[in-house]
Amino acid sequence: MINLQRTLELVCESLAFNGKGMCKVADSGFVVMCDGALPGERFIGRVTRKKDNYAEVKKLEVLSAHWNDVEAPCGYASICGGCKTQNLLYETQVKLKNSKCMNLLLMLGSFQRKINKKWLPLESLQIDNGESDEFALGLHAPGFFDKVLNIDVCLLQSDPANKDPELNLSPYNVHSHQGFLTQLMLRTGRNSENGQPELMVNFITSSYKPELLKHLVEKICDLPYVTSIMNNINKSMGSTSVGEEEYTLFAEVLYKLIENCAGLQRDGLEIVLDLFCATGTIGLTLAKRVKHVYGFELVDRAISNARRNADLNGIINATFVKGDLNKIADNFGEYFPKPDLVIADPNLPGMHLKLTKFLLKLKAKRIVYISCNPATCARDLDYLCHDVPEQNVRGCYHLKSVQPVDMFPHTPHIECVCLVELRKNVKSKR
């Protein structure tokens, strides 16, 4: 019997998708999850939460270390919620992620035991509950919406992004809702021609007061690696920022893999349907080798940026349309000619069943599926490739390849690029 506050001696067996250590109670096999536990680690934990089929524990004492223990390269690893598995040998991280992908394909996708095992990786806090008028630049402390770890150097950032900003502005207080600067966002990339670092600086402020930023902007403009400076206004009481981190080198590896999976012909006559296209970057990388790209995305701003990206790159054979792919109408296929290739890059929940059924009816020759969630990826691949009578699904594709990509080392996150091809005995017709 597992009760709240009970203490248990546990051994972590593996990592779950969310990065928590998965353990089993010795006498019953009941599943227990523990944040911060790594495979092979033996520890004492206290039950803090109980569900019907699992419980969560808080680690109290480590009895023996986990497998393949190494010294974390970052001094903030034990207290920062970002790169949680730095003290686990990287090769072991990759093996665990590969095993996670394979097991999900076997269990949820009903596929045979075959998967590409080669990965594509890229080469002291004190939390004070009192109020403070001092800045803290870094990630949120785990479990706190109102505390930020003040990090001097983050190994995820480039050297220019780790420079001391010397802001001299009033920080925004999430409790009193007073203050000017709510967040400072840095986006790092590299110039595609000379390889030099480029930095976009975005000040997220609670109001529009350009005079307060003027001196700082003038100072930053003198730095050779700063290519753009923005000011986003967030007047809400939440801590929402605009945009997300991007690492161009990772994108280049991922996009090259997608291009290889696409198997484009040399005649330049193929039609590409780019679903969940965001700002169009995947489709635009293929545009010069095909007749036309049709991209669909829900977010207005993303569609505007996709069109602008096409203009900036002189691409005239790409059309981007706003549309909710979770609510497609019966006439959705009338917006574009029959595609030879479909690119699907859904978010964590994967594809809606209605969209999956549309693709099965469409019968494009190839589908490249990019996933950030191996569980929903396995489910969607199952629908595309197998008959699932309870969902009224008749699969017509063959799973050709699955390539995990470690875009986020030292975290539990996994990207997968999958290729399915229409079966030879299935006719490709509208």
Side-chain angles (χ1 to χ4, degrees), residues 8 13 44 69 76 88 97 101-102 133 141 169 284 290 295 334 358-359 399:
L8 300 166
E13 296 184 1
I44 301 295
D69 187 14
Y76 302 95
L88 184 63
K97 290 183 177 183
C101 291
M102 180 180 292
D133 292 330
L169 295 170
L284 292 175
V290 302
E334 298 176 3
F358 169 80
L359 292 178
L399 179 60

Side-chain angles (χ1 to χ4, degrees), residues 71-80 86 124-125 149 151 153-155:
E71 183 178 353
C74 175
Y76 302 95
S78 63
I79 52 178
C80 175
Q86 289 187 59
S124 90
L125 173 74
L149 304 178
I151 295 176
V153 176
C154 178
L155 299 181

